Amino acid sequence: MSVAVGSLFTFDNSYARELGALCEPWQAAPAPAPRLLALNGELAAELGVDAEALRAPVGVAVLVGNATPEGASPVAQAYAGHQFGGYVPRLGDGRALLLGEVLDVHGRRRDLHFKGSGRTPFARGGDGKAPVGPMLREYLIGEAMHALGIPTTRALAVVATGEQVVRETMLPGAVLTRVASSHVRVGTFQYAARQDPALVRRLADHVIARHHPDAGDAENPYLALYESVVDAQASLIARWMLVGFVHGVMNTDNMTISGETIDYGPCAFIDAFDPATVFSSIDHGGRYAYGNQPGIAQWNLARLAETLLPLIHEDTDAAVEAATEVLSSFADRYGRYWSDGMRAKLGIPGAEEEDGSLIEDLLALLKVQRVDFTSFFRALSSSLLGDAAPARALFAEPDAFDAWSGRWRARLTSRAADPRETAEAMDRVNPVYVPRNHLVDEALAAATAGDLEPFHRLLDVLARPFEVRPGLESYALPAPPSFGTYRTFCGT
Ligand code: AMP
Ligand code: MG
């Protein structure tokens, strides 16, 4: 159905236009009784769209896929991917559609993308649908990541379809509208590489123009593109690690070329610091454990390199050598982003040789004493202002903390920084509020049962993660012991 809603968005669909071999024109399945559950007013404004127009029935019809706005050219995108290490040659948008691309008020190109909008030619055995809970979860965690300053796709809206979807139980269905700088994945390159080298080149040219324009001016643009992606991912994963985020399903089809976090499925934030933390019920081997994420990113980037070799150099050995050199730089790049981030979390000015062991020793201490990762850094800044009790209280054996803290304070005073300024700088990078698993579960259970109030309250808390607000004390606390060991079920 096409409805005259042309004034909502101004589309310019470069992907559908330039890369027809990598997508299939398709339409969303009709939703019987759409109801808007959440709309991101701030993001709507950024897209240059009137939020009130999106809230109106015709706007909701667009956001659920019942009306195709003028200028849209909905396509299901093809991609392949290594899932838990095993190659699947044809995945693609099984229940998603790229509605089109819009230029936002800053002139940036953004994809508008549905998830849960019905079966597509890539649906395989799936029903093409999505329940309300997981779509609101993607909305919530994406917004939390954005507020934490981490590159991510964002949610524009979640609309309930009025239909029930069959999972372990019957659940209310929903469509998520997601906004991304693009949906090109490592898996998109893998898919293209199996089709035709000329297609990989067209895809590479598309993403150079769109995400890594500097690479276009390099002597070897495709090698420079690769280096740009390696660097963007090193930075992204460091940011995840610094806030305790576990993606949970870092398959190559869930890794973007832009460097944005994508596909919030069984993801979660760690409470106690432990590199072995796994939340996903389907990650039996712990492949995507918190501490494995940098190594997995590098593994995924090796898969990307394989697709680019023919573009990098006509001589395969020369191509492999050049790509390997860039890939090997991942560890250093990641290490730098991560150490700089850790120094900022600890208020450490400059960089000294001894910082490495100071950081390593702290992490060992946090792990052994199972200290809450998020709470620790805020308590640490308080300790700088004379109140060491909150930090000490996080340790079963505070003497070990005291000893470490003495070294840390000596390192700080070596540069004679003002403690208040240091504490304030720490508080600007260490969140008070993260989407703790028990809070997310609580909000989504209520939403699934029809009460959206806890969801909107939590969304509001997570929108300003660095600022202590009175009355929100419970949002800063770890899960009560009764919550037990957390598992997220893909249940998508
Ligand atoms: P994900 O694990 O969500 O990243 O999805 C992996 C692949 O499975 C993608 O190709 C999805 O499009 C597809 N998929 C996931 N759930 C469904 C569903 N309910 N119906 C059709 N395809 C799906
Ligand atoms: Mg995915």
Side-chain angles (χ1 to χ4, degrees):
M1 173 172 47
S2 203
V3 172
V5 282
S7 56
L8 274 181
F9 300 103
T10 307
F11 287 100
D12 177 50
N13 308 317
S14 68
Y15 196 88
R17 197 165 58 230
E18 296 168 15
L19 295 162
L22 289 174
C23 53
E24 301 261 1
W26 202 253
Q27 292 292 323
R35 193 166 60 88
L36 184 66
L37 300 183
L39 181 78
N40 193 333
E42 181 206 312
L43 184 56
E46 214 174 284
L47 295 172
V49 186
D50 176 13
E52 288 320 304
L54 288 177
R55 286 181 198 282
V58 69
V60 175
V62 166
L63 292 172
V64 80
N66 276 356
T68 305
E70 214 174 290
S73 53
V75 294
Q77 291 174 291
Y79 50 85
H82 277 88
Q83 298 196 307
F84 290 92
Y87 187 68
V88 184
R90 185 182 151 101
L91 287 166
D93 291 334
R95 55 163 173 176
L97 282 181
L98 172 60
L99 185 63
E101 299 155 33
V102 299
L103 295 180
D104 70 13
V105 295
H106 308 294
R108 292 177 304 195
R109 184 174 292 274
R110 315 283 287 268
D111 275 6
L112 287 188
H113 178 97
F114 292 145
K115 195 161 173 177
S117 51
R119 288 176 54 80
T120 75
F122 303 101
R124 297 175 289 162
D127 64 357
K129 303 291 163 90
V132 161
M135 296 304 98
L136 288 177
R137 185 181 167 81
E138 174 150 349
Y139 190 129
L140 194 64
I141 302 200
E143 285 308 286
M145 294 288 269
H146 173 75
L148 289 167
I150 299 175
T152 178
T153 66
R154 296 182 69 186
L156 178 62
V158 174
V159 180
T161 58
E163 199 173 56
Q164 296 284 302
V165 301
V166 188
R167 293 295 181 262
E168 276 167 21
T169 57
M170 299 294 278
L171 293 168
V175 172
L176 166 80
T177 303
R178 170 162 92 180
V179 175
S181 70
S182 88
H183 283 78
V184 180
R185 307 146 189 266
V186 170
T188 316
F189 275 85
Q190 292 180 291
Y191 184 88
R194 293 270 175 130
Q195 310 291 311
D196 170 9
L199 186 57
V200 185
R201 185 181 296 267
R202 293 217 314 277
L203 178 61
D205 290 340
H206 178 90
V207 299
I208 287 174
R210 200 161 167 179
H211 301 302
H212 304 288
D214 291 350
D217 302 325
E219 196 185 321
N220 186 333
Y222 304 111
L223 186 62
L225 165 64
Y226 184 54
E227 185 171 352
S228 243
V229 178
V230 167
D231 195 68
Q233 285 294 338
S235 164
L236 178 67
I237 308 299
R239 286 162 180 258
W240 289 1
M241 300 298 285
L242 290 163
V243 296
F245 175 74
V246 186
H247 183 282
V249 56
M250 281 179 76
N251 294 332
T252 56
D253 52 298
N254 289 337
M255 182 182 260
T256 59
I257 297 301
S258 66
E260 287 179 339
T261 311
I262 196 170
D263 274 356
Y264 294 96
C267 60
F269 281 69
I270 58 171
D271 291 301
F273 176 77
D274 184 353
T277 307
V278 176
F279 296 112
S280 168
S281 61
I282 57 169
D283 190 1
H284 304 297
R287 179 180 171 90
Y288 300 139
Y290 171 68
N292 285 355
Q293 296 184 120
I296 288 291
Q298 190 172 10
W299 191 90
N300 289 349
L301 290 164
R303 307 288 78 76
L304 176 62
E306 287 160 4
T307 72
L308 293 172
L309 292 178
L311 303 187
I312 289 174
H313 203 289
E314 59 199 19
D315 175 65
T316 305
D317 290 343
V320 168
E321 194 182 326
T324 304
E325 194 183 323
V326 173
L327 180 61
S328 312
S329 73
F330 178 87
D332 273 351
R333 290 171 196 268
Y334 170 79
R336 263 197 309 278
Y337 286 122
W338 190 81
S339 310
D340 288 351
M342 255 340 240
R343 282 197 195 88
K345 285 175 85 68
L346 295 171
I348 294 176
E352 303 275 349
E353 193 68 31
E354 74 205 68
D355 296 342
S357 59
L358 191 66
I359 292 169
E360 287 309 311
D361 293 348
L362 170 64
L363 295 178
L365 199 59
L366 295 182
K367 175 170 186 267
V368 154
Q369 300 212 29
R370 299 201 58 73
V371 174
D372 184 82
F373 188 65
T374 303
S375 306
F376 172 75
F377 292 95
R378 293 296 291 218
L380 191 65
S381 69
S382 302
S383 81
L384 208 49
L385 301 177
D387 187 6
R392 298 188 86 245
L394 294 170
F395 292 82
E397 293 167 31
D399 290 356
F401 166 71
D402 292 340
W404 178 87
S405 178
R407 286 167 60 200
W408 170 65
R409 298 190 72 136
R411 171 67 178 86
L412 294 187
T413 47
S414 71
R415 296 281 187 105
D418 172 52
R420 179 156 299 280
E421 277 173 26
T422 302
E424 282 170 6
M426 289 170 70
D427 288 351
R428 283 194 293 273
V429 296
N430 292 316
V432 191
Y433 311 111
V434 294
R436 291 181 180 273
N437 307 321
H438 65 292
L439 299 173
V440 174
D441 269 18
E442 217 170 81
L444 298 186
T448 301
D451 176 12
L452 283 155
E453 212 271 328
F455 169 82
H456 286 292
R457 198 153 17 101
L458 184 55
L459 196 60
D460 173 69
V461 171
L462 298 171
R464 285 147 68 191
F466 300 106
E467 181 192 329
V468 176
R469 281 186 275 166
L472 300 184
E473 291 76 11
S474 64
Y475 289 91
L477 298 175
S482 59
F483 189 64
T485 303
Y486 187 61
R487 280 280 167 270
T488 76
F489 294 88
C490 238
T492 59

